[in-house]
Amino acid sequence: MEFTGLRVNHFKDGLGTIIAFYPVHNLLKVKFDMGRTSFYDYPQDFYPGGVLSTSSSDIINYIYSLPRFQFSKRALGDQATRGKDLSVFRENCLSVLTDLQIPFNSQPFSFTINSRLKTSLCRTVRTEYLTDSQFAFHYEIQVSPRLIDDTVADATVYQTLLKEILHVVRCTVAFSNSEVARYMEIIGRECGYQLSDKLFLSGLPEVRKKAEDTFSLPVVPNLKRAPAVYAA
């Protein structure tokens, strides 16, 4: 479904055409037939059934189906998935980039878990190799197991991975720093993630102790044995 280009009927400004939309904030940018261009909340500012090309429910369902909304900070809230699968988060991050039309090539990079990371949530290691008589690079994004702990909010994971992926994509697709900044701004506007912020392990919540870590045997008092008494 192509959202831009739909005709709408605003209760005050009348008929117009959607020229942009921002689903995370439920905002439409509309150019009206009378010449005015404005931002509006959807669907509060429009007549019931005011979208002429389709029904209101269809548009809302479409917005909610977009990866930029499904994996946004607003949609996830404080959700913290138990038993996080790093590969699932990876695929969801790539689907966000695809949805936002940010070019990338996923072949030159992979994800691994590195329990030796002491302060950083993740880092990237570049390896040079020879292929078809030419040198190429592979980028391994190493993630601390603390990042995918049950206590960590899913939004924190997405914010961290999206930032690291963009830095790798800058090298593999030859982005300029200005392009990276622009894409970070797009992700911030559409998904609510501030990728300029740097997160550290110290900023994560404490790890919940597992049952086997907290189990201990009861302490038995060190009783002195009474002296034996023998009959004469």
Side-chain angles (χ1 to χ4, degrees):
M1 175 181 175
E2 180 57 44
F3 197 61
T4 56
L6 292 180
R7 296 283 288 167
V8 297
N9 186 9
H10 187 259
F11 72 91
K12 179 180 178 182
D13 294 322
L15 298 176
T17 303
I18 299 173
I19 59 176
F21 73 104
Y22 307 96
V24 171
H25 305 289
N26 278 352
L27 283 179
L28 298 178
K29 187 176 184 180
V30 180
K31 182 173 180 59
F32 290 97
D33 296 351
M34 45 80 79
R36 178 178 176 177
T37 299
S38 300
F39 289 93
Y40 292 95
D41 288 326
Y42 183 83
Q44 291 89 333
D45 290 341
F46 293 84
Y47 286 123
V51 177
L52 306 183
S53 300
T54 187
S55 69
S56 299
S57 60
D58 286 342
I59 289 182
I60 293 175
N61 290 337
Y62 171 64
I63 290 174
Y64 288 173
S65 72
L66 294 171
R68 72 182 75 178
F69 181 85
Q70 289 181 336
F71 310 116
S72 68
K73 190 171 184 178
R74 174 187 173 189
L76 295 172
D78 296 328
Q79 171 184 310
T81 301
R82 296 181 64 84
K84 293 180 177 66
D85 186 337
L86 182 59
S87 63
V88 173
F89 281 87
R90 172 189 183 275
E91 292 306 312
N92 291 342
C93 284
L94 297 183
S95 69
V96 169
L97 298 186
T98 299
D99 183 30
L100 296 176
Q101 299 181 358
I102 298 176
F104 66 91
N105 178 7
S106 63
Q107 295 302 317
F109 65 90
S110 59
F111 285 75
T112 59
I113 296 177
N114 184 353
S115 59
R116 295 189 297 275
L117 293 181
K118 300 301 182 183
T119 58
S120 300
L121 293 172
C122 64
R123 70 174 184 181
T124 299
V125 176
R126 187 181 73 171
T127 304
E128 187 177 19
Y129 63 97
L130 185 65
T131 176
D132 297 330
S133 300
Q134 293 182 339
F135 285 103
F137 296 98
H138 180 80
Y139 297 82
E140 181 182 44
I141 297 177
Q142 299 179 350
V143 176
S144 168
R146 285 282 286 109
L147 181 63
I148 55 175
D149 185 78
D150 291 349
T151 59
V152 176
D154 293 354
T156 300
V157 182
Y158 284 114
Q159 176 166 312
T160 303
L161 296 185
L162 282 168
K163 179 175 183 178
E164 198 70 20
I165 289 172
L166 274 187
H167 285 310
V168 172
V169 168
R170 178 179 63 82
C171 301
T172 58
V173 190
F175 283 165
S176 65
N177 288 333
S178 61
E179 286 178 304
V180 173
R182 183 167 66 87
Y183 291 138
M184 284 185 174
E185 182 182 350
I186 290 173
I187 292 174
R189 184 183 67 231
E190 299 289 343
C191 302
Y193 298 125
Q194 300 305 316
L195 301 191
S196 59
D197 297 342
K198 191 170 181 61
L199 299 174
F200 296 93
L201 284 171
S202 58
L204 297 180
E206 293 293 328
V207 180
R208 293 191 189 117
K209 291 184 178 181
K210 298 180 181 179
E212 57 267 27
D213 295 333
T214 58
F215 176 79
S216 61
L217 293 173
V219 178
V220 179
N222 186 16
L223 300 177
K224 293 183 178 180
R225 180 176 297 177
V229 179
Y230 297 94

